[in-house]
Amino acid sequence: EAGVAQSPRYKIIEKRQSVAFWCNPISGHATLYWYQQILGQGPKLLIQFQNNGVVDDSQLPKDRFSAERLKGVDSTLKIQPAKLEDSAVYLCASRARPRGTVNTEAFFGQGTRLTVV
Amino acid sequence: DQQVKQNSPSLSVQEGRISILNCDYTNSMFDYFLWYKKYPAEGPTFLISISSIKDKNEDGRFTVFLNKSAKHLSLHIVPSQPGDSAVYFCAASAKTGANNLFFGTGTRLTVIP
């Protein structure tokens, strides 16, 4: 079974530039998450999709970050314009629906390391 | 507002001994708890989970214990091996609502040969 695919692996941009990250989740997984992980911290949820609808984007800085999940499969996360504090690893994860009373684990991609200079 | 907390940023253990990693949570709605392991330059990989209807789950060298009254869980690794050296994240979710996955800040485990 293929895992969660993310690209690019690394990206260096100057502040005020824009950048986009792509994620292809595990086939059949309805839930897709984007997390931001700053060095030394745990992953912080940015946005959660259920199929192609947004379930939770309360932590997404909407003045500069946007995300979409077309047709309920692939997803892109965009930052425009980037700030120095956006330097982090951006992780995409997907998760199957809970099976009755049993919840499920999320599977992560390798992440995209963004450096804003 | 950190709903999942790992208060020990690092832990060093001799090879062959037991490693115990701890995690506390504040949200009483959480009903599913997970441990993830992360190597440098890789995404977190799922290790083991436990549902709130249980107080223990075992998988080989890894055992997770859940104390709901104390809102505390722990991961035991016995015996510890050098390949276990990584950052371990505790995570929690609740099936009601959005079923978000909340993470702690991680504990870096070093197993000394």
Side-chain angles (χ1 to χ4, degrees):
Chain A
E1 178 184 82
V4 177
Q6 287 188 248
S7 67
R9 286 294 310 277
Y10 305 93
K11 191 75 177 178
I12 301 174
I13 61 171
E14 295 182 350
K15 60 184 179 185
R16 291 187 289 275
Q17 285 188 321
S18 62
V19 65
F21 313 126
W22 173 83
C23 173
N24 180 237
I26 292 174
S27 178
H29 280 192
T31 302
L32 185 148
Y33 306 94
W34 282 102
Y35 284 88
Q36 179 193 58
Q37 186 177 13
I38 292 172
L39 189 63
Q41 299 181 19
K44 172 191 154 188
L45 180 70
L46 291 175
I47 189 167
Q48 178 188 351
F49 292 94
Q50 187 76 14
N51 297 311
N52 61 346
V54 174
V55 175
D56 185 354
D57 62 357
S58 57
Q59 301 297 308
L60 188 73
K62 297 181 188 64
D63 58 334
R64 297 184 302 105
F65 286 65
S66 64
E68 61 182 5
R69 189 181 183 195
L70 298 175
K71 301 180 182 178
V73 183
D74 292 7
S75 178
T76 55
L77 175 70
K78 296 179 182 177
I79 308 175
Q80 181 179 15
K83 293 185 175 181
L84 296 176
E85 59 260 35
D86 298 331
S87 294
V89 175
Y90 290 85
L91 294 162
C92 177
S94 71
R95 193 177 191 186
R97 289 181 186 275
R99 296 183 284 269
T101 59
V102 179
N103 214 335
T104 57
E105 65 269 27
F107 294 86
F108 282 82
Q110 289 187 298
T112 297
R113 180 175 295 278
L114 174 67
T115 303
V116 182
V117 298
Chain B
D1 179 25
Q2 192 75 22
Q3 299 189 56
V4 179
K5 300 177 184 177
Q6 294 176 258
N7 292 318
S8 298
S10 63
L11 175 68
S12 291
V13 171
Q14 286 289 137
E15 181 179 3
R17 305 294 290 268
I18 184 172
S19 295
I20 300 177
L21 295 92
N22 293 302
C23 177
D24 297 291
Y25 61 96
T26 58
N27 189 338
S28 58
M29 297 300 292
F30 288 149
D31 57 11
Y32 188 63
F33 304 89
L34 310 90
W35 285 94
Y36 282 83
K37 177 179 178 178
K38 187 180 183 306
Y39 292 119
E42 294 184 13
T45 54
F46 171 71
L47 193 56
I48 191 169
S49 64
I50 188 167
S51 165
S52 60
I53 61 173
K54 295 184 175 181
D55 54 18
K56 176 182 174 181
N57 189 26
E58 196 170 349
D59 183 2
R61 296 185 297 112
F62 302 91
T63 303
V64 56
F65 295 93
L66 176 62
N67 182 334
K68 289 186 291 293
S69 60
K71 294 193 178 67
H72 177 84
L73 64 155
S74 60
L75 174 68
H76 292 210
I77 306 173
V78 184
S80 301
Q81 299 174 355
D84 297 329
S85 297
V87 177
Y88 289 78
F89 291 98
C90 171
S93 69
K95 281 214 308 296
T96 55
N99 204 18
N100 285 342
L101 199 57
F102 295 92
F103 281 83
T105 51
T107 297
R108 180 177 299 278
L109 173 66
T110 303
V111 180
I112 304 163

